[in-house]
Coordinates of all heavy atoms in Angstrom, one line a residue:
M522 N 38.2 131.4 98.4 CA 38.6 130.6 99.6 C 37.4 130.5 100.6 O 36.6 131.3 100.7 CB 39.8 131.3 100.2 CG 39.5 132.3 101.3 SD 41.1 132.7 102.0 CE 40.6 133.9 103.3
S523 N 37.5 129.4 101.3 CA 36.3 129.1 102.0 C 36.6 129.2 103.5 O 37.7 128.9 104.0 CB 35.8 127.7 101.7 OG 36.0 126.8 102.7
E524 N 35.6 129.6 104.2 CA 35.6 129.8 105.7 C 35.9 128.5 106.4 O 36.7 128.5 107.3 CB 34.3 130.4 106.1 CG 34.2 130.7 107.6 CD 34.6 132.1 107.9 OE1 35.1 132.8 107.0 OE2 34.4 132.5 109.1
S525 N 35.3 127.4 105.8 CA 35.4 126.2 106.6 C 36.8 125.6 106.5 O 37.3 124.9 107.4 CB 34.4 125.2 106.0 OG 34.7 124.8 104.7
V526 N 37.6 125.9 105.4 CA 38.9 125.5 105.3 C 39.8 126.1 106.4 O 40.6 125.5 107.1 CB 39.5 125.8 103.9 CG1 41.0 125.6 103.9 CG2 38.9 125.0 102.8
L527 N 39.5 127.4 106.6 CA 40.3 128.1 107.7 C 39.9 127.5 109.0 O 40.8 127.4 109.9 CB 40.0 129.6 107.6 CG 40.6 130.3 106.5 CD1 40.2 131.8 106.6 CD2 42.1 130.1 106.4
K528 N 38.7 127.2 109.2 CA 38.2 126.6 110.5 C 38.9 125.3 110.7 O 39.4 125.0 111.8 CB 36.7 126.4 110.5 CG 35.9 127.7 110.7 CD 35.4 127.8 112.1 CE 35.3 129.2 112.5 NZ 34.4 130.0 111.6
R529 N 39.0 124.5 109.7 CA 39.7 123.2 109.8 C 41.2 123.3 110.0 O 41.8 122.6 110.8 CB 39.4 122.3 108.6 CG 38.1 121.6 108.6 CD 37.6 121.1 107.3 NE 38.5 120.1 106.7 CZ 38.5 119.8 105.4 NH1 37.7 120.4 104.6 NH2 39.3 118.9 105.0
A530 N 41.8 124.3 109.3 CA 43.2 124.5 109.5 C 43.5 125.0 111.0 O 44.4 124.5 111.6 CB 43.7 125.6 108.6
E531 N 42.6 125.8 111.5 CA 42.7 126.3 112.8 C 42.6 125.2 113.8 O 43.3 125.1 114.8 CB 41.7 127.4 113.1 CG 42.0 128.1 114.4 CD 41.1 129.3 114.6 OE1 40.1 129.5 113.9 OE2 41.3 130.1 115.6
Y532 N 41.6 124.3 113.5 CA 41.4 123.2 114.4 C 42.6 122.3 114.5 O 43.1 121.9 115.5 CB 40.2 122.4 113.9 CG 40.0 121.1 114.6 CD1 39.4 121.0 115.8 CD2 40.4 119.9 114.0 CE1 39.3 119.8 116.5 CE2 40.3 118.7 114.6 CZ 39.7 118.6 115.9 OH 39.6 117.4 116.5
L533 N 43.2 122.0 113.3 CA 44.4 121.2 113.2 C 45.6 121.8 114.0 O 46.3 121.2 114.7 CB 44.8 121.0 111.8 CG 43.9 120.0 111.0 CD1 44.2 120.1 109.5 CD2 44.1 118.6 111.5
L534 N 45.7 123.2 113.9 CA 46.7 123.9 114.6 C 46.5 123.8 116.1 O 47.4 123.8 116.9 CB 46.9 125.3 114.1 CG 47.5 125.4 112.7 CD1 47.5 126.8 112.2 CD2 48.9 124.8 112.6
D535 N 45.2 123.9 116.5 CA 44.9 123.8 117.9 C 45.3 122.4 118.4 O 45.8 122.2 119.5 CB 43.4 124.0 118.1 CG 43.0 125.5 118.0 OD1 44.0 126.3 118.1 OD2 41.9 125.8 117.9
Q536 N 45.0 121.4 117.6 CA 45.5 120.0 118.0 C 47.0 119.9 118.1 O 47.5 119.3 119.0 CB 45.0 119.0 116.9 CG 43.5 118.8 116.8 CD 42.9 118.5 118.1 OE1 43.2 117.5 118.7 NE2 41.9 119.3 118.6
A537 N 47.7 120.6 117.2 CA 49.1 120.6 117.2 C 49.6 121.2 118.5 O 50.6 120.8 119.1 CB 49.7 121.4 116.0
K538 N 48.8 122.2 119.0 CA 49.2 122.9 120.2 C 49.1 122.1 121.4 O 49.9 122.1 122.3 CB 48.3 124.2 120.3 CG 48.7 125.1 121.5 CD 47.7 126.2 121.5 CE 48.1 127.3 122.5 NZ 47.2 128.4 122.5
I539 N 48.0 121.3 121.5 CA 47.8 120.5 122.7 C 48.4 119.1 122.7 O 48.5 118.5 123.8 CB 46.3 120.5 123.0 CG1 45.5 119.8 121.9 CG2 45.7 121.8 123.3 CD1 44.0 119.6 122.2
T540 N 48.8 118.7 121.6 CA 49.3 117.3 121.5 C 50.7 117.2 121.9 O 51.4 118.2 122.0 CB 49.1 116.8 120.1 OG1 49.1 115.4 120.1 CG2 50.1 117.3 119.1
K541 N 51.2 116.0 122.1 CA 52.6 115.8 122.5 C 53.5 116.0 121.3 O 53.1 115.8 120.1 CB 52.8 114.4 123.0 CG 52.0 114.1 124.3 CD 52.8 114.5 125.5 CE 52.1 114.1 126.8 NZ 51.5 115.3 127.4
D542 N 54.7 116.4 121.6 CA 55.7 116.8 120.6 C 55.7 116.0 119.3 O 55.6 116.6 118.2 CB 57.1 116.8 121.2 CG 57.2 117.6 122.4 OD1 56.7 117.2 123.5 OD2 57.7 118.7 122.4
G543 N 55.9 114.7 119.4 CA 56.0 113.9 118.2 C 54.9 114.1 117.2 O 55.2 114.0 116.0
L544 N 53.7 114.3 117.7 CA 52.6 114.4 116.8 C 52.3 115.8 116.3 O 51.6 115.9 115.3 CB 51.4 113.8 117.5 CG 51.2 112.3 117.5 CD1 50.1 111.8 118.4 CD2 51.0 111.8 116.1
S545 N 52.7 116.8 117.0 CA 52.3 118.1 116.7 C 52.7 118.5 115.3 O 51.9 119.2 114.6 CB 52.7 119.1 117.7 OG 54.1 119.3 117.6
K546 N 53.8 118.1 114.8 CA 54.3 118.4 113.5 C 53.3 117.8 112.4 O 53.1 118.4 111.4 CB 55.7 117.8 113.2 CG 56.7 118.9 113.1 CD 58.1 118.3 112.8 CE 59.1 119.2 113.5 NZ 60.5 118.9 113.1
R547 N 52.8 116.7 112.7 CA 51.9 116.0 111.8 C 50.6 116.9 111.6 O 50.1 117.0 110.5 CB 51.5 114.7 112.3 CG 52.5 113.6 112.1 CD 51.9 112.3 112.2 NE 52.9 111.3 112.3 CZ 52.7 110.0 112.5 NH1 51.4 109.6 112.7 NH2 53.6 109.1 112.7
Y548 N 50.1 117.4 112.7 CA 49.0 118.3 112.6 C 49.2 119.5 111.8 O 48.4 120.0 111.0 CB 48.4 118.6 114.0 CG 47.7 117.5 114.6 CD1 48.2 116.9 115.7 CD2 46.4 117.1 114.1 CE1 47.5 115.8 116.3 CE2 45.7 116.1 114.7 CZ 46.2 115.4 115.8 OH 45.5 114.4 116.4
V549 N 50.4 120.1 112.0 CA 50.8 121.3 111.3 C 50.9 120.9 109.8 O 50.4 121.7 108.9 CB 52.2 121.8 111.8 CG1 52.7 123.0 110.8 CG2 52.0 122.4 113.2
I550 N 51.5 119.8 109.5 CA 51.7 119.4 108.1 C 50.3 119.2 107.5 O 50.0 119.6 106.3 CB 52.5 118.1 108.0 CG1 54.0 118.5 108.3 CG2 52.5 117.5 106.6 CD1 54.9 117.3 108.5
L551 N 49.4 118.6 108.2 CA 48.0 118.4 107.7 C 47.4 119.7 107.4 O 46.7 119.9 106.4 CB 47.2 117.6 108.7 CG 47.3 116.1 108.8 CD1 46.5 115.5 109.9 CD2 46.9 115.5 107.5
A552 N 47.5 120.7 108.3 CA 46.9 122.0 108.1 C 47.5 122.6 106.9 O 46.8 123.3 106.1 CB 47.2 122.9 109.3
R553 N 48.9 122.5 106.7 CA 49.5 123.1 105.5 C 49.1 122.5 104.2 O 48.9 123.1 103.2 CB 51.0 123.1 105.7 CG 51.5 123.8 106.9 CD 53.0 123.8 107.0 NE 53.6 124.8 106.0 CZ 54.9 124.9 105.8 NH1 55.7 124.1 106.5 NH2 55.3 125.8 105.0
K554 N 49.0 121.1 104.3 CA 48.6 120.4 103.1 C 47.1 120.8 102.7 O 46.8 121.0 101.5 CB 48.6 118.9 103.3 CG 50.0 118.3 103.1 CD 49.9 116.8 103.1 CE 51.3 116.3 102.8 NZ 51.4 114.9 103.3
L555 N 46.3 120.9 103.7 CA 44.9 121.3 103.5 C 44.9 122.7 102.8 O 44.2 122.9 101.8 CB 44.2 121.4 104.8 CG 42.8 122.0 104.8 CD1 41.8 121.0 104.1 CD2 42.3 122.3 106.2
A556 N 45.7 123.6 103.3 CA 45.7 125.0 102.7 C 46.2 124.9 101.3 O 45.7 125.5 100.4 CB 46.6 125.9 103.6
M557 N 47.3 124.1 101.1 CA 47.9 124.0 99.7 C 46.9 123.4 98.8 O 46.7 123.9 97.7 CB 49.1 123.1 99.8 CG 50.3 123.6 99.0 SD 51.7 122.5 99.3 CE 52.2 123.0 100.9
R558 N 46.2 122.3 99.2 CA 45.3 121.6 98.3 C 44.1 122.5 97.9 O 43.6 122.4 96.8 CB 44.8 120.3 99.1 CG 44.3 119.2 98.2 CD 44.0 118.0 99.0 NE 43.1 118.2 100.1 CZ 43.2 117.8 101.3 NH1 44.3 117.1 101.7 NH2 42.3 118.1 102.2
T559 N 43.7 123.3 98.9 CA 42.5 124.1 98.6 C 42.9 125.5 98.2 O 42.1 126.4 98.0 CB 41.7 124.2 99.9 OG1 42.5 124.7 100.9 CG2 41.1 122.9 100.3
R560 N 44.2 125.7 97.9 CA 44.8 127.0 97.5 C 44.3 128.1 98.4 O 43.9 129.2 98.0 CB 44.4 127.3 96.1 CG 45.0 126.3 95.1 CD 44.3 126.4 93.8 NE 44.8 125.3 92.9 CZ 45.8 125.3 92.0 NH1 46.4 126.5 91.9 NH2 46.1 124.3 91.3
T561 N 44.4 127.8 99.7 CA 44.0 128.8 100.7 C 45.2 129.4 101.3 O 46.1 128.7 101.7 CB 43.1 128.1 101.8 OG1 42.0 127.5 101.2 CG2 42.7 129.2 102.8
R562 N 45.2 130.7 101.3 CA 46.4 131.4 102.0 C 46.0 131.5 103.5 O 45.0 132.2 103.8 CB 46.6 132.7 101.3 CG 47.9 133.3 101.6 CD 48.3 134.3 100.5 NE 49.7 134.7 100.7 CZ 50.0 135.8 101.5 NH1 49.0 136.5 102.1 NH2 51.2 136.1 101.7
L563 N 46.8 130.9 104.3 CA 46.5 131.0 105.7 C 46.8 132.5 106.2 O 47.8 133.1 105.8 CB 47.4 130.1 106.5 CG 47.1 128.6 106.3 CD1 48.1 127.7 107.1 CD2 45.7 128.2 106.7
P564 N 45.9 133.0 107.0 CA 46.1 134.3 107.5 C 47.3 134.3 108.5 O 47.6 133.3 109.0 CB 44.8 134.6 108.2 CG 44.2 133.3 108.5 CD 44.7 132.4 107.4
P565 N 47.9 135.5 108.6 CA 49.1 135.6 109.5 C 49.0 135.0 110.9 O 49.9 134.4 111.4 CB 49.4 137.1 109.5 CG 48.7 137.7 108.4 CD 47.5 136.8 108.0
E566 N 47.8 135.2 111.4 CA 47.6 134.7 112.8 C 47.7 133.2 112.9 O 48.0 132.6 113.9 CB 46.3 135.2 113.4 CG 45.0 134.9 112.7 CD 44.6 136.0 111.7 OE1 45.5 136.7 111.2 OE2 43.4 136.1 111.5
L567 N 47.4 132.5 111.8 CA 47.6 131.1 111.8 C 49.0 130.7 111.3 O 49.7 129.9 111.8 CB 46.6 130.4 110.8 CG 45.1 130.4 111.2 CD1 44.3 129.6 110.3 CD2 44.9 129.9 112.6
N568 N 49.4 131.4 110.3 CA 50.7 131.2 109.6 C 51.9 131.3 110.6 O 52.9 130.6 110.5 CB 50.9 132.2 108.5 CG 51.6 131.6 107.3 OD1 51.7 130.3 107.2 ND2 52.2 132.4 106.5
R569 N 51.8 132.2 111.5 CA 52.9 132.5 112.4 C 52.9 131.5 113.6 O 53.8 131.6 114.4 CB 52.9 133.9 112.9 CG 51.8 134.3 113.8 CD 52.0 135.8 114.2 NE 51.9 136.7 113.0 CZ 52.3 138.0 113.1 NH1 52.7 138.5 114.2 NH2 52.2 138.7 112.0
R570 N 52.0 130.6 113.6 CA 52.0 129.7 114.7 C 52.9 128.4 114.5 O 53.1 127.6 115.4 CB 50.5 129.2 115.0 CG 49.7 130.3 115.6 CD 48.2 130.0 115.6 NE 47.9 128.8 116.4 CZ 46.7 128.4 116.6 NH1 45.7 129.0 116.0 NH2 46.4 127.3 117.3
F571 N 53.4 128.3 113.3 CA 54.3 127.2 113.0 C 55.5 127.7 112.2 O 55.5 128.7 111.6 CB 53.5 126.1 112.3 CG 52.9 126.5 111.0 CD1 53.6 126.6 109.8 CD2 51.5 126.8 111.0 CE1 53.0 127.0 108.6 CE2 50.9 127.2 109.8 CZ 51.7 127.3 108.6
C572 N 56.5 126.8 112.2 CA 57.7 127.1 111.4 C 57.4 126.7 109.9 O 57.0 125.6 109.6 CB 58.9 126.3 111.9 SG 60.3 126.5 110.9
G573 N 57.7 127.7 109.0 CA 57.4 127.5 107.6 C 58.4 126.5 107.0 O 58.2 126.0 105.9
K574 N 59.5 126.3 107.7 CA 60.5 125.4 107.1 C 60.4 124.0 107.6 O 60.3 123.1 106.8 CB 61.9 126.0 107.5 CG 63.0 125.4 106.7 CD 64.3 126.2 106.9 CE 65.4 125.8 105.9 NZ 66.6 126.4 106.2
C575 N 60.3 123.8 108.9 CA 60.2 122.4 109.4 C 58.9 122.0 109.9 O 58.7 120.9 110.4 CB 61.3 122.2 110.5 SG 60.9 123.0 112.1
S576 N 57.9 122.9 109.9 CA 56.5 122.6 110.3 C 56.3 122.4 111.8 O 55.3 121.8 112.2 CB 55.9 121.5 109.5 OG 55.8 121.8 108.2
A577 N 57.3 122.7 112.6 CA 57.2 122.6 114.0 C 56.1 123.6 114.5 O 56.1 124.7 114.0 CB 58.5 122.8 114.7
Y578 N 55.3 123.1 115.4 CA 54.4 124.1 116.0 C 55.2 124.9 117.0 O 55.8 124.4 117.9 CB 53.2 123.4 116.8 CG 52.2 124.3 117.2 CD1 51.1 124.7 116.4 CD2 52.3 124.9 118.5 CE1 50.2 125.6 116.8 CE2 51.3 125.9 118.9 CZ 50.3 126.2 118.1 OH 49.4 127.2 118.5
L579 N 55.2 126.2 116.9 CA 56.0 127.1 117.6 C 55.4 127.5 119.0 O 54.3 128.1 119.0 CB 56.4 128.3 116.8 CG 57.2 127.9 115.5 CD1 57.4 129.2 114.7 CD2 58.5 127.3 115.8
K580 N 56.1 127.2 120.0 CA 55.7 127.6 121.4 C 56.8 128.5 122.0 O 57.9 128.0 122.2 CB 55.5 126.4 122.2 CG 54.3 125.5 121.7 CD 54.2 124.3 122.6 CE 53.1 123.4 122.1 NZ 53.0 122.1 122.8
P581 N 56.4 129.7 122.2 CA 57.4 130.7 122.8 C 57.9 130.1 124.1 O 57.2 129.5 124.9 CB 56.5 131.9 123.1 CG 55.3 131.8 122.2 CD 55.1 130.3 122.0
G582 N 59.2 130.2 124.3 CA 59.8 129.6 125.5 C 60.2 128.2 125.4 O 61.0 127.7 126.2
E583 N 59.7 127.5 124.4 CA 60.0 126.1 124.2 C 60.9 126.0 123.0 O 62.1 125.8 123.0 CB 58.8 125.2 124.1 CG 58.1 125.0 125.4 CD 56.9 124.1 125.4 OE1 56.9 123.2 124.6 OE2 55.9 124.4 126.1
N584 N 60.3 126.0 121.8 CA 61.1 125.9 120.6 C 61.1 127.2 119.8 O 61.5 127.2 118.6 CB 60.6 124.7 119.7 CG 59.1 124.9 119.3 OD1 58.5 125.9 119.7 ND2 58.6 123.9 118.7
L585 N 60.6 128.2 120.4 CA 60.5 129.5 119.6 C 61.1 130.6 120.5 O 60.8 130.7 121.7 CB 59.0 129.9 119.3 CG 58.8 131.3 118.8 CD1 59.3 131.4 117.4 CD2 57.3 131.6 118.8
S586 N 61.9 131.4 119.9 CA 62.3 132.6 120.5 C 62.0 133.8 119.6 O 62.1 133.7 118.4 CB 63.8 132.6 121.0 OG 64.6 133.0 119.9
V587 N 61.5 134.8 120.2 CA 61.0 136.0 119.4 C 61.9 137.2 119.9 O 62.0 137.4 121.1 CB 59.5 136.3 119.7 CG1 59.1 137.5 118.8 CG2 58.7 135.1 119.4
R588 N 62.5 137.8 118.9 CA 63.3 139.0 119.2 C 62.8 140.2 118.4 O 62.3 140.0 117.3 CB 64.7 138.8 119.0 CG 65.3 137.9 120.0 CD 66.8 137.9 120.1 NE 67.2 136.6 120.7 CZ 68.0 135.7 120.1 NH1 68.5 136.0 118.9 NH2 68.3 134.6 120.7
L589 N 63.1 141.3 118.9 CA 62.8 142.5 118.1 C 64.1 143.0 117.5 O 65.1 143.2 118.2 CB 62.2 143.6 119.1 CG 61.6 144.8 118.5 CD1 60.4 144.4 117.6 CD2 61.1 145.7 119.6
H590 N 64.0 143.2 116.2 CA 65.3 143.6 115.5 C 64.9 144.5 114.3 O 64.2 144.1 113.4 CB 66.0 142.3 115.0 CG 67.3 142.7 114.3 ND1 68.4 143.0 115.0 CD2 67.6 142.7 113.0 CE1 69.4 143.3 114.2 NE2 68.9 143.1 112.9
G591 N 65.4 145.7 114.4 CA 65.2 146.7 113.3 C 63.7 147.0 113.1 O 63.3 147.1 112.0
G592 N 62.9 147.0 114.2 CA 61.5 147.3 114.1 C 60.7 146.1 113.6 O 59.5 146.3 113.3
K593 N 61.3 145.0 113.5 CA 60.5 143.8 113.1 C 60.7 142.7 114.1 O 61.7 142.7 114.8 CB 61.0 143.3 111.7 CG 60.9 144.3 110.6 CD 60.6 143.6 109.3 CE 60.0 144.6 108.4 NZ 60.2 144.3 107.0
L594 N 59.7 141.9 114.2 CA 59.9 140.7 115.0 C 60.6 139.6 114.3 O 60.3 139.3 113.1 CB 58.5 140.2 115.4 CG 57.7 141.0 116.4 CD1 56.3 140.4 116.5 CD2 58.3 141.0 117.8
V595 N 61.6 139.0 114.9 CA 62.3 137.9 114.3 C 61.9 136.7 115.1 O 62.2 136.5 116.3 CB 63.8 138.1 114.4 CG1 64.5 136.9 113.7 CG2 64.2 139.4 113.6
Y596 N 61.3 135.7 114.4 CA 60.9 134.5 115.0 C 62.0 133.5 114.7 O 62.4 133.3 113.5 CB 59.6 133.9 114.3 CG 58.4 134.5 114.9 CD1 58.2 135.9 115.1 CD2 57.3 133.7 115.3 CE1 57.1 136.4 115.6 CE2 56.1 134.3 115.8 CZ 56.0 135.6 116.0 OH 54.9 136.1 116.5
Y597 N 62.5 132.9 115.7 CA 63.6 132.0 115.5 C 63.2 130.6 116.0 O 62.8 130.4 117.2 CB 64.8 132.5 116.4 CG 66.0 131.5 116.4 CD1 66.7 131.3 115.2 CD2 66.3 130.8 117.5 CE1 67.8 130.4 115.2 CE2 67.4 129.9 117.6 CZ 68.1 129.7 116.4 OH 69.2 128.8 116.4
C598 N 63.2 129.6 115.0 CA 62.8 128.3 115.4 C 64.0 127.5 115.9 O 65.0 127.4 115.2 CB 62.2 127.6 114.1 SG 61.9 125.8 114.3
K599 N 63.9 127.0 117.1 CA 65.0 126.3 117.7 C 65.1 124.9 117.1 O 66.1 124.2 117.4 CB 64.9 126.3 119.2 CG 65.0 127.6 119.8 CD 64.8 127.6 121.3 CE 64.9 128.9 122.0 NZ 64.6 128.9 123.4
E600 N 64.1 124.5 116.5 CA 64.2 123.1 116.0 C 65.0 123.0 114.7 O 65.7 122.0 114.5 CB 62.8 122.5 115.7 CG 62.0 122.5 117.0 CD 61.0 121.4 117.1 OE1 61.0 120.5 116.2 OE2 60.1 121.5 118.0
C601 N 64.9 123.9 113.8 CA 65.6 123.8 112.5 C 66.5 125.0 112.4 O 67.3 125.1 111.4 CB 64.7 123.7 111.3 SG 63.8 125.2 111.0
G602 N 66.5 126.0 113.3 CA 67.4 127.1 113.2 C 67.0 128.2 112.2 O 67.8 129.1 111.9
S603 N 65.8 128.1 111.6 CA 65.4 129.1 110.7 C 64.8 130.4 111.3 O 64.3 130.3 112.4 CB 64.4 128.5 109.7 OG 63.1 128.5 110.2
H604 N 65.1 131.5 110.6 CA 64.6 132.8 111.1 C 63.4 133.2 110.2 O 63.4 132.9 109.0 CB 65.6 133.8 111.0 CG 66.8 133.6 111.9 ND1 67.7 132.6 111.7 CD2 67.1 134.2 113.1 CE1 68.6 132.6 112.6 NE2 68.3 133.5 113.5
R605 N 62.5 133.9 110.8 CA 61.5 134.5 110.0 C 61.2 135.9 110.5 O 61.0 136.1 111.7 CB 60.2 133.6 110.0 CG 59.1 134.1 109.1 CD 58.2 133.1 108.6 NE 57.7 132.2 109.7 CZ 56.5 131.7 109.8 NH1 55.7 131.9 108.8 NH2 56.2 130.9 110.8
R606 N 61.2 136.8 109.6 CA 60.9 138.2 110.1 C 59.4 138.5 109.9 O 58.8 138.2 108.9 CB 61.7 139.2 109.3 CG 63.1 139.2 109.7 CD 63.9 140.3 109.1 NE 65.3 140.3 109.5 CZ 66.2 139.4 109.0 NH1 65.8 138.6 108.1 NH2 67.4 139.4 109.5
M607 N 58.8 139.1 110.9 CA 57.4 139.5 110.8 C 57.3 141.0 111.1 O 58.0 141.5 112.0 CB 56.6 138.8 112.0 CG 56.9 137.3 112.0 SD 55.6 136.5 111.1 CE 55.9 134.8 111.6
P608 N 56.5 141.6 110.4 CA 56.2 143.0 110.7 C 55.5 143.0 112.1 O 54.8 142.1 112.5 CB 55.3 143.5 109.6 CG 54.7 142.3 109.0 CD 55.7 141.2 109.3
L609 N 55.8 144.1 112.8 CA 55.1 144.2 114.1 C 53.6 144.4 113.8 O 53.3 145.3 113.0 CB 55.6 145.5 114.8 CG 56.8 145.3 115.8 CD1 57.2 146.6 116.4 CD2 56.4 144.3 116.9
H610 N 52.8 143.6 114.4 CA 51.4 143.7 114.1 C 50.7 144.7 115.0 O 50.7 144.5 116.2 CB 50.7 142.4 114.1 CG 51.0 141.5 115.3 ND1 50.2 141.4 116.3 CD2 52.1 140.8 115.6 CE1 50.7 140.6 117.3 NE2 51.9 140.3 116.9
N611 N 50.3 145.7 114.5 CA 49.6 146.7 115.3 C 48.1 146.8 114.9 O 47.4 147.8 115.2 CB 50.3 148.1 115.3 CG 50.6 148.5 113.9 OD1 50.0 147.9 112.9 ND2 51.3 149.6 113.7
K612 N 47.7 145.8 114.2 CA 46.3 145.9 113.7 C 45.4 145.3 114.8 O 45.8 144.3 115.4 CB 46.1 145.1 112.4 CG 46.6 143.7 112.5 CD 46.1 142.9 111.4 CE 46.5 141.4 111.5 NZ 45.6 140.4 111.6
S613 N 44.3 145.8 115.0 CA 43.3 145.3 115.9 C 42.0 145.0 115.3 O 41.0 144.7 115.9 CB 43.2 146.2 117.1 OG 42.8 147.5 116.7
H614 N 42.0 145.0 114.0 CA 40.7 144.8 113.3 C 41.0 144.0 112.0 O 42.1 143.9 111.6 CB 40.0 146.0 112.9 CG 40.8 147.1 112.3 ND1 41.1 147.1 111.0 CD2 41.6 148.1 112.9 CE1 41.9 148.2 110.7 NE2 42.2 148.7 111.9
Ligands
ZN1848 ZN1 61.8 125.1 112.1

């Protein structure tokens, strides 16, 4: 896997973050397609920025709610209603 693919995926997700609602999904989809095409596994810090189901860029307080449940973080996408459990990340390296 290549460093530049990750850079490009991150760039696309950054665009998704700053762009207006209608377009942000497109950037997320582009980033996911890029990862798929290049068989790159997106690292969790990128992966958890969007909904794996509907590709919405997730913004806490807007279309994302995060809850702690059973020692795990539950990400709830308000756009499609899907849940995703994440381990609590305590890694700093
Ligand atoms: Zn969703």
Side-chain angles (χ1 to χ4, degrees):
M522 92 172 181
S523 108
E524 181 88 353
S525 67
V526 168
L527 289 182
K528 285 257 150 57
R529 276 161 66 199
E531 189 174 12
Y532 170 80
L533 288 167
L534 290 174
D535 284 343
Q536 295 303 303
K538 185 181 187 178
I539 59 177
T540 200
K541 297 270 185 259
D542 303 73
L544 278 172
S545 69
K546 246 179 213 189
R547 284 201 194 171
Y548 283 112
V549 171
I550 289 167
L551 280 175
R553 299 183 76 185
K554 277 189 177 163
L555 173 70
M557 222 176 285
R558 203 172 58 227
T559 55
R560 295 165 190 266
T561 303
R562 200 156 182 272
L563 294 176
E566 59 266 32
L567 292 185
N568 215 22
R569 67 178 61 193
R570 287 167 67 178
F571 57 82
C572 173
K574 198 167 187 187
C575 72
S576 292
Y578 188 88
L579 298 172
K580 295 178 184 175
E583 286 183 34
N584 58 2
L585 170 70
S586 81
V587 182
R588 285 196 205 122
L589 194 58
H590 183 76
K593 300 214 163 157
L594 288 173
V595 181
Y596 278 48
Y597 174 69
C598 170
K599 292 179 182 171
E600 300 211 9
C601 70
S603 79
H604 294 74
R605 184 154 48 146
R606 287 188 178 78
M607 308 265 191
L609 269 177
H610 48 103
N611 49 12
K612 57 164 181 120
S613 55
H614 49 85

